């Protein structure tokens, strides 16, 4: 059976055949794109039906987030969100909490409303808005209740005394470990890994993770996404993660697919070293399903969390003189990058500061000299701080960029006042230069670091409007067409899926996002006002939840 979807306008994101009003679908694949008359060639050979449900709507390719963390989100979504900016979910809207006093009130209220025998978890804390937090203060608020305050970046947590006792974290066991401050109950960057290993008994329990993954399913769909990239598989516990994915997400009612990219460091540690980790990673495609797929991609890291001001910065650094943190020592990064490069893998590297980016670029220069590769897929993930000269080197080396432009929206004003000054803060996410250099560019949420709303990310990229309503570094805006490509066909290219999704053309998956307004009519400034009515995933319609 052929189904023909009619629309007011179909934006194909295929520059050779840019728009249409009808698209024919069979068995989850696109047969023809054009007007209704063009479909008649196919009607002679098969039964057909005309779907007019979207005749007054706009169809685009299903939106793509090339860097999202389903398992990380599943861990955090059951927690109480206390955040500096408003967050909208299908089940609730979280109001902004913007000062220390109100933050403490929210903690105390959460403590009061949590059943007596349960621990308390919250996510979203940021010192710029919420003031300082530590174990002593948490002990005052929560008493004997075990409690966790998870920082906005995900890269750090604070535990109270009761939680550390419950988890068996004792001073003599952690004193001297890097990136752990026992007195403050603070575990960050690699120290977070230690805390996660202890917390897994709670946050990876079936009850917790099943609830979280059900919410992830709703969040991804609500953003109009039909494809996402999971950029850190194995972050918590690979076997537990994969089991949960098979039980909850790998089901017929999940309206999207996931490109799975393993976390090199975590899997190296789990399997006895980098070479053993590579052997395990090489075996993962044997687990592929229709919706969850491993390919030849790997995730590496240079520097620390952007939201924690732990990015590694070139001179003049941070105004207060503090330093960032390496997630991998530079020599370790180079060694592991070379291992995967020589094995033919496409490397996706987390970089937040311009010094972290410099390490990634210098390593790529060495690898290209030692063993040149075309179409190597080396991709800079996040792309917080950079220089124009670094962008040019990325172009020369054939690298791509997957940017979290939400950094600019939430943090540019804050970091101008307390961080690195106005000049560098306002040039976060230097996307205009990427467009001028014709670098393949994707926009991602890194959810839950930003809302999983690709049209909102595209709006930020087109306007560079921060949370105070100020447009910053207007020379770094990108065109509307580039922004829409960055959440469709170019995002698909970053994931290596451009031959099957990302645009609407014959032979590709029938993945569509159904919009109530035309992006080219409302322009970049109007993107955040567009509502998603439904998605179509491989030919099947999935209406959207309405808040």
């Amino acid at each position: 059976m052929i189904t023909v979807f009619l629309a007011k306008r179909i934006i194909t994101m295929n520059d050779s055949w840019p728009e249409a009003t009808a698209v024919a679908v069979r068995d989850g694949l696109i047969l023809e794109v054009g007007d209704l008359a063009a479909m008649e060639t196919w009607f002679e050979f098969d039964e057909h039906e005309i779907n007019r449900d979207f005749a007054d709507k706009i169809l685009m390719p299903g939106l793509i987030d090339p860097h999202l963390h389903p398992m990380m989100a599943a861990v955090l979504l059951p927690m109480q969100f206390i955040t500096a900016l408003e967050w909208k979910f299908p089940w609730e809207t979280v109001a902004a909490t913007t000062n220390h006093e109100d933050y403490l009130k929210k903690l105390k209220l959460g403590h009061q409303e949590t059943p007596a025998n349960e621990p308390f978890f919250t996510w979203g804390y940021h010192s710029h808005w919420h003031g300082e937090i530590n174990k002593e203060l948490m002990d005052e608020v929560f008493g004997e209740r075990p409690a966790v305050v998870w920082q906005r970046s995900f890269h750090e947590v604070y535990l109270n005394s009761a939680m550390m006792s419950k988890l068996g974290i004792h001073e003599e066991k952690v004193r001297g470990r890097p990136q752990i401050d026992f007195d403050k109950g603070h575990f960050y960057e690699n120290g977070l890994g230690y805390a996660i290993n202890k917390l897994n008994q709670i946050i990876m329990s079936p009850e917790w993770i099943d609830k979280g993954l059900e919410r992830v399913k709703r969040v991804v769909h609500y953003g109009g996404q039909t494809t996402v990239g999971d950029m850190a598989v194995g972050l918590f516990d690979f076997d537990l993660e994969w089991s949960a994915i098979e039980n909850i997400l790998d089901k017929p009612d999940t309206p999207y697919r996931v490109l799975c990219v393993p976390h090199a460091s975590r899997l190296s540690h789990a399997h006895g070293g980098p070479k053993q980790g590579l052997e395990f990673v090489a075996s993962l495609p044997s687990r592929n399903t229709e919706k969850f797929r491993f390919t030849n991609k790997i995730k590496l890291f240079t520097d620390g969390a952007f939201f924690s001001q732990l990015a590694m910065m070139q001179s003049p650094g941070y105004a207060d003189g503090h330093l960032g943190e390496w997630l991998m020592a530079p020599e370790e990064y180079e060694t592991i990058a070379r291992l995967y490069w020589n094995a033919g893998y496409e490397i996706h590297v987390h970089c937040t500061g311009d010094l972290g980016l410099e390490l990634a670029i210098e390593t790529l220069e060495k690898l290209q000299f030692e063993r040149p590769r075309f179409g190597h897929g080396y991709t800079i993930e996040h792309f917080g701080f950079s220089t124009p000269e670094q962008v040019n080197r990325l172009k020369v080396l054939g690298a791509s960029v997957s940017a979290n432009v939400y950094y600019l929206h939430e943090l540019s004003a804050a970091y101008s006042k307390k961080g690195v000054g106005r000049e560098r803060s306002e040039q976060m996410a230097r996307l205009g230069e990427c467009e001028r250099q014709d670098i393949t560019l994707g926009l991602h949420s890194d959810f839950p670091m930003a809302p999983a709303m690709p049209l909102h990310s595209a709006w930020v990229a087109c306007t560079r409007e921060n949370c105070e309503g100020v447009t910053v570094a207007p020379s770094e805006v990108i065109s509307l067409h580039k922004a829409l490509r960055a959440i469709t066909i170019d995002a698909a290219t970053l994931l290596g899926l451009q031959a099957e999704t990302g645009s609407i053309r014959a032979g590709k998956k029938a993945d569509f996002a159904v919009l109530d307004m035309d992006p080219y009519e409302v322009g970049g400034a109007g993107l955040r006002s567009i509502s998603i009515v439904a998605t179509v995933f491989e030919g099947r319609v999935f209406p959207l939840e309405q808040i």
Side-chain angles (χ1 to χ4, degrees):
M1 170 72 78
I2 297 171
T3 299
V4 177
F5 293 95
L6 301 183
K8 179 180 179 181
R9 184 186 184 192
I10 299 174
I11 300 169
T12 68
M13 302 311 298
N14 171 9
D15 290 345
S16 297
W17 198 258
E19 61 180 279
T21 54
V23 54
V25 175
R26 183 175 62 195
D27 298 330
L29 296 176
I30 298 169
L31 297 178
E32 183 87 26
V33 182
D35 57 17
L36 184 57
M39 310 293 123
E40 293 181 1
T41 300
W42 299 90
F43 297 164
E44 180 180 352
F45 304 101
D46 202 349
E47 296 180 353
H48 71 276
E49 60 181 2
I50 309 296
N51 186 320
R52 303 178 186 275
D53 292 347
F54 309 131
D56 62 343
K57 300 295 189 292
I58 307 300
L59 261 62
M60 280 189 65
L63 304 183
I64 298 174
D65 189 328
H67 186 139
L68 180 149
H69 296 287
M71 194 58 60
M72 183 191 299
V75 165
L76 297 181
L77 285 172
M79 300 181 189
Q80 180 174 337
F81 273 43
I82 308 176
T83 55
L85 271 61
E86 179 184 82
W87 281 67
K88 291 184 178 181
F89 297 108
W91 57 87
E92 68 173 338
T93 296
V94 177
T97 301
T98 58
N99 60 65
H100 183 63
E101 181 180 356
D102 288 345
Y103 186 77
L104 290 182
K105 287 180 180 178
K106 290 284 183 69
L107 289 182
K108 292 173 182 177
L109 181 61
H111 172 48
Q112 293 169 7
E113 294 179 345
T114 301
N117 61 339
E118 294 182 7
F120 178 82
F121 284 77
T122 180
W123 176 84
Y125 163 74
H126 197 291
S127 61
H128 179 81
W129 289 274
H130 303 140
E132 294 302 316
I133 198 82
N134 54 50
K135 181 175 64 174
E136 182 179 358
L137 180 57
M138 292 174 65
D139 288 347
E140 291 178 10
V141 173
F142 297 105
E144 296 302 312
R145 181 195 301 278
V148 174
V149 171
W150 218 300
Q151 203 264 0
R152 175 70 175 79
S153 68
F154 185 81
H155 287 231
E156 49 184 313
V157 294
Y158 294 83
L159 311 181
N160 71 344
S161 297
M163 180 58 82
M164 288 204 281
S165 177
K166 177 181 176 66
L167 299 177
I169 298 176
H170 304 295
E171 183 173 6
E172 64 272 14
K173 293 182 179 180
V174 301
R175 182 70 69 184
R177 282 179 176 263
Q179 300 172 328
I180 294 176
D181 186 332
F182 181 85
D183 294 335
K184 291 185 177 180
H186 187 202
F187 300 74
Y188 56 101
E189 300 302 2
N190 291 312
L192 173 68
Y194 179 87
I196 283 178
N197 287 338
K198 299 290 187 178
L199 287 165
N200 274 345
Q201 61 185 275
I202 302 172
I203 61 177
M204 291 301 293
S205 67
E207 299 79 14
W208 184 287
I209 213 68
D210 289 0
K211 177 181 179 180
L213 285 173
E214 287 291 350
R215 287 188 166 184
V216 169
K217 188 184 300 185
R218 296 168 68 186
V219 165
V220 173
H221 183 222
Y222 188 68
Q225 294 144 123
T226 56
T227 302
V228 299
D230 183 346
M231 280 287 157
V233 177
L235 172 63
F236 298 94
D237 180 292
F238 182 88
D239 292 332
L240 290 176
E241 291 177 35
W242 193 250
S243 176
I245 286 170
E246 288 181 315
N247 291 334
I248 303 298
L249 291 185
D250 194 19
K251 301 295 182 183
D253 64 344
T254 299
Y256 56 89
R257 68 183 62 82
V258 181
L259 193 284
C260 302
V261 181
H263 189 307
S265 295
R266 294 288 283 178
L267 295 181
S268 292
H269 291 312
H271 293 276
K275 291 183 179 180
Q276 294 89 335
L278 171 59
E279 291 176 2
F280 179 75
V281 168
S283 74
L284 292 177
S286 65
R287 300 173 182 251
N288 285 357
T289 70
E290 290 187 5
K291 290 184 177 176
F292 287 80
R293 186 187 317 174
F294 293 93
T295 58
N296 65 330
K297 292 181 175 289
I298 193 68
K299 177 73 177 295
L300 302 183
F301 295 78
T302 58
D303 55 334
F306 200 85
F307 276 94
S308 303
Q309 290 199 2
L310 293 177
M312 293 296 292
M313 300 296 295
Q314 297 186 110
S315 179
Y318 293 98
D320 64 3
H322 85 270
L323 303 176
E325 296 282 346
W326 291 113
L327 293 183
M328 302 175 73
E331 58 274 14
E332 179 190 10
Y333 174 77
E334 182 179 326
T335 296
I336 296 182
R338 180 175 290 106
L339 178 70
Y340 281 96
W341 177 273
N342 289 338
Y345 278 78
E346 297 184 356
I347 296 170
H348 291 250
V349 52
H350 161 117
C351 300
T352 55
D354 54 9
L355 187 57
L357 178 58
E358 187 66 21
L359 172 60
I361 293 173
E362 288 183 355
T363 301
L364 178 57
E365 288 172 336
K366 292 178 182 179
L367 297 177
Q368 281 285 49
F369 178 80
E370 294 169 4
R371 185 180 180 184
R373 286 173 55 187
F374 293 99
H376 49 70
Y378 197 96
T379 301
I380 304 302
E381 299 286 341
H382 304 320
F383 195 61
F385 292 113
S386 65
T387 68
E389 295 79 10
Q390 287 177 324
V391 176
N392 178 256
R393 288 161 68 200
L394 290 173
K395 170 63 178 179
V396 170
L397 291 165
S400 302
V401 169
S402 179
N404 185 347
V405 73
Y406 196 78
Y407 289 160
L408 168 83
H409 179 67
E410 182 163 342
L411 297 174
S412 61
Y415 286 11
S416 292
K417 300 166 187 172
K418 186 178 179 181
V420 298
R422 181 177 174 184
E423 177 190 354
R424 286 178 293 164
S425 291
E426 294 194 357
Q427 293 179 81
M428 292 177 187
R430 191 183 299 279
L431 305 188
E433 187 63 23
C434 289
E435 182 171 15
R436 290 187 287 274
Q437 296 277 357
D438 195 28
I439 290 174
T440 300
L441 172 68
L443 297 176
H444 70 246
S445 68
D446 192 24
F447 184 80
M449 296 305 100
M453 306 287 285
L455 287 172
H456 189 276
S457 294
W459 167 75
V460 178
C462 288
T463 65
R464 294 187 68 84
E465 182 178 315
N466 68 18
C467 63
E468 296 184 353
V470 177
T471 296
V472 298
S475 64
E476 291 299 333
V477 301
I478 61 174
S479 67
L480 173 62
H481 190 63
K482 183 73 169 179
L484 294 179
R485 286 184 63 93
I487 57 174
T488 55
I489 185 60
D490 287 344
T493 299
L494 295 184
L495 296 178
L497 300 177
Q498 67 272 23
E500 60 184 274
T501 191
S503 63
I504 301 175
R505 68 156 174 81
K508 285 197 173 185
K509 300 284 190 182
D511 299 339
F512 315 132
V514 185
L515 316 180
D516 69 342
M517 291 187 283
D518 189 329
Y520 288 99
E521 289 184 2
V522 302
L527 290 177
R528 66 172 172 174
S529 300
I530 295 175
S531 294
I532 296 168
V533 177
T535 63
V536 178
F537 179 68
E538 297 186 0
R540 180 181 171 188
V541 176
F542 289 85
L544 214 69
E545 294 182 67
Q546 299 300 315
I547 297 181

